[in-house]
Amino acid sequence: MQIAFIGLGNMGAPMAANLLAAGHALRVCDLSEAAIDAACAQGATRAANPADAASDAELVMTMLPAAAHVRAVYQGEHGVLASVPAGIPLIDSSTIDPATVAALADAAARQGNPFVDAPVSGGTVGAQAGTLTFMVGADPALLERIAPVLAQMGRNVVRCGDTGTGQVAKLCNNLLLGISMIGVAEAMSLGEALGIDAQVLAGIINTSTGRCWSAEVCNPVPGIVANAPASRAYRGGFGVDLMLKDLGLAVDAARAARLALPLGALAEQTYRRSSRHGDGSLDFSSVIRQYGDAG
Ligand code: NAD
């Protein structure tokens, strides 16, 4: 299949590599020349801009930082919508707000293109291994059409409902993840302050009712989980600033829905404090550094 792939960052580059390995022809576009060069070295073809990439595509994939970038790539002067043939599915895997998805889906529908929100979980490790989970907002017939391609980048392709619901699922999951990491950081810090060995405490939590991904797989105390970001000075993983962006999306969506979100709002402020202290590019488990000695 001829695929336009736009956004070759930490996630997009390995996703594109998996599509190339599966035998697709990719025309790629990014603001970074180095990212384009790396994809071309793996067999992709360079496009001058998103419109160029999409002009002969049978499918368009985008993996961009935030809503402003997604709007620019689809609706900008040399954007995808300026050239893409009618009927071609447009799949955005960036994490953005459901309202932007709705607006883009309307614009795309006016020229006969279905727009699909398909955000992912699984991080850069999952992107490399091709084991991502796609949370898809699309009607069942469209999902059937695109699922084989998504399955070449991921292990789970889950239909969440109609357009926009993929982003809803993603925001709700990351809201909970952001809150649970602060909870684990707080519990581990209290335990250390009161004198229990951190490894013993983690073992208890992970076989008790406090068990969760943030405690078990990504424990924020260095040395508890050998391959967790905490054990490599919080490098790699899921950055504080990306978590901050996702919590902001959740808090904004809650405001629009007139729903109180007290823990989400507090979590957003907590990660903002980490970011202001210079930890924005560190894994979000570095939030434990706010509690003192532990990190
Ligand atoms: P990234 O910043 O590493 O990559 C984004 C890429 O988009 C960059 O290469 C950038 O140059 C490119 N880009 C930006 N504007 C562009 C434009 N106008 N035209 C062409 N290219 C443009 O980000 P990432 O870590 O790959 O994340 C991408 C999305 O996936 C984000 O929405 C993020 O929240 C989400 N996500 C990330 C992770 C993770 O672990 N990193 C996990 C799940 C979801």
Side-chain angles (χ1 to χ4, degrees):
M1 197 182 256
Q2 181 71 42
I3 298 175
F5 201 110
I6 303 161
L8 302 165
N10 292 328
M11 296 293 288
M15 290 165 71
N18 282 330
L19 291 179
L20 285 166
H24 298 290
L26 260 61
R27 295 193 67 207
V28 297
C29 173
D30 196 284
L31 299 180
S32 155
E33 284 298 317
I36 295 175
D37 288 346
C40 290
Q42 296 173 326
T45 309
R46 173 185 305 263
N49 51 48
D52 183 31
S55 60
D56 62 350
E58 295 170 275
L59 186 101
V60 174
M61 280 287 313
T62 48
M63 192 52 166
L64 298 155
H69 310 87
V70 178
R71 278 193 295 268
V73 160
Y74 282 97
Q75 298 180 301
E77 194 186 348
H78 299 292
V80 168
L81 294 183
S83 73
V84 70
I88 299 303
L90 314 175
I91 305 173
D92 180 46
S93 282
S94 326
T95 303
I96 63 172
D97 60 292
T100 296
V101 172
L104 283 168
D106 274 355
R110 281 197 291 276
Q111 55 183 72
N113 294 102
F115 186 91
V116 178
D117 53 314
V120 298
S121 74
T124 52
V125 172
Q128 280 153 18
T131 56
L132 294 170
T133 291
F134 284 89
M135 303 164 224
V136 186
D139 70 52
L142 180 59
L143 178 64
E144 204 172 309
R145 195 170 147 203
I146 61 171
V149 177
L150 298 182
Q152 287 163 337
M153 298 176 282
R155 191 160 46 197
N156 304 303
V157 178
V158 182
R159 179 176 180 267
C160 300
D162 291 334
T163 313
T165 54
Q167 295 294 356
V168 172
K170 175 72 183 172
L171 292 190
C172 293
N173 179 72
N174 280 21
L175 168 68
L176 181 55
L177 176 64
I179 293 170
S180 77
M181 182 58 80
I182 296 171
V184 172
E186 207 156 293
M188 293 300 297
S189 299
L190 177 64
E192 283 200 277
L194 299 182
I196 189 172
D197 179 79
Q199 193 67 259
V200 171
L201 178 57
I204 295 293
I205 289 173
N206 291 334
T207 51
S208 303
T209 44
R211 181 180 179 186
C212 61
W213 187 91
S214 297
E216 194 172 24
V217 180
C218 194
N219 196 291
V221 176
I224 301 287
V225 179
N227 60 357
S231 300
R232 46 173 197 268
Y234 303 102
R235 305 279 167 211
F238 185 58
V240 164
D241 283 344
L242 283 179
M243 176 54 83
L244 193 49
K245 179 197 72 158
D246 291 358
L247 286 171
L249 295 175
V251 168
D252 287 350
R255 187 179 301 117
R258 298 174 57 82
L259 178 76
L261 212 60
L263 289 187
L266 186 57
E268 185 192 15
Q269 290 172 24
T270 306
Y271 289 104
R272 188 177 300 143
R273 197 182 298 137
S274 285
S275 184
R276 269 185 71 82
H277 286 174
D279 288 354
S281 63
L282 299 183
D283 182 72
F284 76 115
S285 61
S286 65
V287 72
I288 198 172
R289 285 155 51 126
Q290 292 188 29
Y291 291 89
D293 297 336

